[in-house]
Amino acid sequence: QSALTQPRSVSGSPGQSVTISCTGTSSDVGGYNYVSWYQQHPGKAPKLMIYDVSKRPSGVPDRFSGSKSGNTASLTISGLQAEDEADYYCCSYAGSYTRVFGGGTKLTVL
Amino acid sequence: EVQLVQSGAEVKKPGESLKISCEGSGYDFTSYWIGWVRQMPGKGLEWMGIIYPGDSDTKYYPSFQGQVTISADKSITTAYLQWSSLKASDTAMYFCARHSGNYGNYMDVWGKGTTVTVSS
């Protein structure tokens, strides 16, 4: 299995919206509604931001939203803030209790 | 408070064995999958495998099958990641994470990570 495909970097100004895509196959992203997204600041552990494609854990701002169409999932961050600058990883269930991560996207807030 | 506490940084030589740990607290340790994620220096996250401490059922990502061993001791609510013969390419940060939801499909609680350095 290969890693899911994410853009290496995206950027936006404070207050703007950005969308990060995550492309897989019918064996992972397209086959299950089990896509999750993680935020990782430098030197820190990842943090769950979205699960089951579009659900937000308690405490995650509603500026973060997730969606999926076919084999591509997306994370949208609206009203960008400086503290959103981080690496973002998607992850999909891939059957047989395994999962696969995307390669990661570096978000820069200009 | 639900938390995972990982063991400290390790420096080893190639060929040596190693077992790192991840102690869970604040939740029913036997009712959630718990797994390991690798992050090589400057690289992305890689899902390695999981164990269900309730019955020790274990699943591995294909590229890690046979390279590491995941185990758990439910009596002390601790999961382990083990190598029998380390390589320089095992140098990385290793995170443990609680897996929740259907099939344990998302990771909602993370440890702070254990740095493993393998160098002669």
Side-chain angles (χ1 to χ4, degrees):
Chain A
Q1 293 176 350
S2 301
L4 307 176
T5 300
Q6 296 182 233
R8 295 196 67 136
S9 64
V10 298
S11 63
S13 299
Q16 288 186 331
S17 294
V18 295
T19 296
I20 300 171
S21 62
C22 169
T23 301
T25 69
S26 58
S27 296
D28 37 63
V29 175
Y32 309 93
N33 287 322
Y34 296 140
V35 176
S36 50
W37 290 89
Y38 302 87
Q39 176 192 66
Q40 187 181 34
H41 288 108
K44 300 293 188 182
K47 175 186 176 184
L48 176 68
M49 305 302 285
I50 295 287
Y51 68 98
D52 292 354
V53 175
S54 59
K55 297 177 182 175
R56 263 190 324 275
S58 172
V60 172
D62 59 8
R63 302 185 294 103
F64 291 84
S65 62
S67 62
K68 190 188 86 165
S69 178
N71 296 337
T72 298
S74 299
L75 173 71
T76 298
I77 309 170
S78 58
L80 268 180
Q81 298 182 4
E83 60 261 35
D84 298 334
E85 184 162 296
D87 293 326
Y88 290 84
Y89 295 89
C90 61
C91 183
S92 175
Y93 183 69
S96 301
Y97 284 84
T98 63
R99 299 108 184 87
V100 61
F101 278 104
T105 298
K106 181 176 179 60
L107 168 62
T108 301
V109 180
L110 302 169
Chain B
E1 179 194 4
V2 176
Q3 60 178 347
L4 298 173
V5 178
Q6 297 189 229
S7 50
E10 300 275 1
V11 179
K12 292 288 190 178
K13 291 181 167 37
E16 291 186 332
S17 63
L18 176 65
K19 192 174 191 178
I20 61 175
S21 67
C22 170
E23 181 181 1
S25 62
Y27 72 100
D28 183 356
F29 186 76
T30 61
S31 296
Y32 289 81
W33 294 87
I34 187 165
W36 294 91
V37 174
R38 182 175 79 176
Q39 188 165 38
M40 299 176 76
K43 301 297 185 183
L45 304 175
E46 298 174 273
W47 190 84
M48 301 177 71
I50 49 172
I51 187 166
Y52 192 76
D55 61 8
S56 295
D57 190 12
T58 310
K59 312 288 185 184
Y60 294 92
Y61 192 77
S63 57
F64 290 99
Q65 180 86 46
Q67 307 305 306
V68 296
T69 300
I70 295 172
S71 61
D73 184 339
K74 60 187 179 183
S75 69
I76 54 172
T77 65
T78 299
Y80 301 97
L81 179 64
Q82 183 175 4
W83 295 260
S84 58
S85 180
L86 286 160
K87 303 185 274 287
S89 58
D90 292 317
T91 294
M93 176 74 83
Y94 293 87
F95 295 100
C96 63
R98 187 180 80 165
H99 287 53
S100 294
N102 293 336
Y103 307 105
N105 79 85
Y106 61 90
M107 291 152 271
D108 61 344
V109 181
W110 292 72
K112 293 187 186 303
T114 295
T115 300
V116 174
T117 303
V118 184
S119 174
S120 54

